[in-house]
DNA sequence: ATAGTTGCAAAGTGTTTGCGCTGAG
DNA sequence: CTCAGCGCAAACACTTTGCAACTAT
């Protein structure tokens, strides 16, 4: 049972229709390694079904987000990125030079912050997903050399 | 010497013209306690100078950002917020119920994360400004009671 | 059969840009 | 004087919405 099938099951159980459009959009997202913009999802689905509308893509994104099956990543660029939710919470580091993204474990790096804010301020932080910009190892090396 | 004066000095030294519009925009931002959207700045300046254009507000924001005199805060709402840069780096917790924002010290809460990412991944994170959403003390109490 | 979903087109936000005029230096 | 910066209007990029036609159930 693939991830896509699992998600389709959830949607079916919730009483949503499993339209070809929804299946294609899900497959498009699932078959990509990293995160994608709505436009990228649209383009990918278009290859097999050229009539798909960007509005349908956005509506499906909303649906999946509402059920926490999809994670929205705001890189502050004015365009959101999306990826399927995973069991283990994680965050991203994004290199501002080469654009590469590296996953970072929530438990190890951000959970301590969450705990500290709760203890100190009684503030219950929803640290669902962070995008941390910076310079990756390779680009730092290049910069030091060049 | 006020904060506004200091900023005006920087701009003058850099050869920029100190137009009334720029002075008014700066005053508007400086005289507000928290962060403001471009539209809020525009509205505030309009009260004393109704001809100010939103484009001028955006251009001034860009100018100040470029010189790191202004910090842009992306709350992921599609609308950026701005506040004057301060000496001590800080971040914000934003209550998703009541909208209240609480400052948090960089050194104490986020610097450890930065250090860990550098050590572990050789990734140099620009943790300039984070907005962390969640539930504040009061709203948590309300929720527990109600 | 029928309500949920689609494609299309249009509208809605927030932000940026081209351009001729103006005023700070 | 002169060019940086202004107001205006239009363009932009991304996302949402109203509606009639269609289709998964």
């Amino acid at each position: 049972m693939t991830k896509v099938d699992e998600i389709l099951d959830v949607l079916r159980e919730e009483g949503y229709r499993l339209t070809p459009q929804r299946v294609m959009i899900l497959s498009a997202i699932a078959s990509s390694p990293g995160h994608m913009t709505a436009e990228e999802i649209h383009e990918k689905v278009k290859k097999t079904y050229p009539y798909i509308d960007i509005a349908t893509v956005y509506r499906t994104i909303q649906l999946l987000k509402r059920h926490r099956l999809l994670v929205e990543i705001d890189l502050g660029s004015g365009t959101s990125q999306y990826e399927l939710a995973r069991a283990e919470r994680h965050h991203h580091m994004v290199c501002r030079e080469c654009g590469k993204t590296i996953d970072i474990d929530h438990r190890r790096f951000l959970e301590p912050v969450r705990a500290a804010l709760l203890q100190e301020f009684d503030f219950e932080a929803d640290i669902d997903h962070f995008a941390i910009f910076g310079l990756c190892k390779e680009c730092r090396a290049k910069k030091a050399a060049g």
Side-chain angles (χ1 to χ4, degrees), chain A:
Chain A
M1 181 114 145
T2 71
K3 187 126 199 173
V4 171
D5 291 330
E6 282 172 40
I7 293 177
L8 290 175
D9 273 357
V10 173
L11 294 182
R12 186 168 18 231
E13 273 162 32
E14 297 277 340
Y16 294 99
R17 289 192 191 165
L18 267 44
T19 64
Q21 288 89 338
R22 286 181 176 163
V23 177
M24 289 186 289
I25 289 169
L26 264 171
S27 307
I29 302 173
S31 68
S32 287
H35 31 68
M36 308 170 79
T37 64
E39 191 52 49
E40 284 163 357
I41 298 169
H42 185 211
E43 286 307 316
K44 190 151 184 180
V45 174
K46 256 191 182 165
K47 284 181 188 160
T48 52
Y49 177 61
Y51 305 118
I52 187 86
D53 195 83
I54 188 80
T56 302
V57 174
Y58 277 110
R59 282 189 280 233
T60 303
I61 286 172
Q62 300 287 28
L63 173 64
L64 295 172
K65 250 183 20 183
R66 227 179 299 129
H67 288 268
R68 304 194 168 276
L69 299 167
L70 190 74
V71 175
E72 179 168 6
I73 306 165
D74 181 1
L75 301 180
S77 65
T79 316
S80 287
Q81 308 260 147
Y82 304 92
E83 69 175 31
L84 295 186
R86 309 191 203 161
E88 354 67 66
R89 206 192 295 189
H90 72 289
H91 307 270
H92 286 123
M93 294 184 293
V94 183
C95 178
R96 75 174 119 86
E97 287 293 324
C98 68
K100 181 172 52 196
T101 72
I102 305 163
D103 290 3
I104 54 182
D105 181 51
H106 171 78
R107 195 157 274 329
R108 215 171 131 207
F109 296 95
L110 274 315
E111 182 54 33
V113 177
R114 214 191 88 84
L117 295 179
L118 187 62
Q119 169 132 24
E120 182 82 10
F121 299 100
D122 261 321
F123 187 92
E124 194 179 313
D126 331 313
I127 305 191
D128 283 338
H129 191 280
F130 266 25
I132 301 178
F133 279 83
L135 221 46
C136 73
K137 185 176 179 170
E138 287 72 27
C139 291
R140 285 186 70 210
K142 248 179 247 166
K143 213 148 221 183

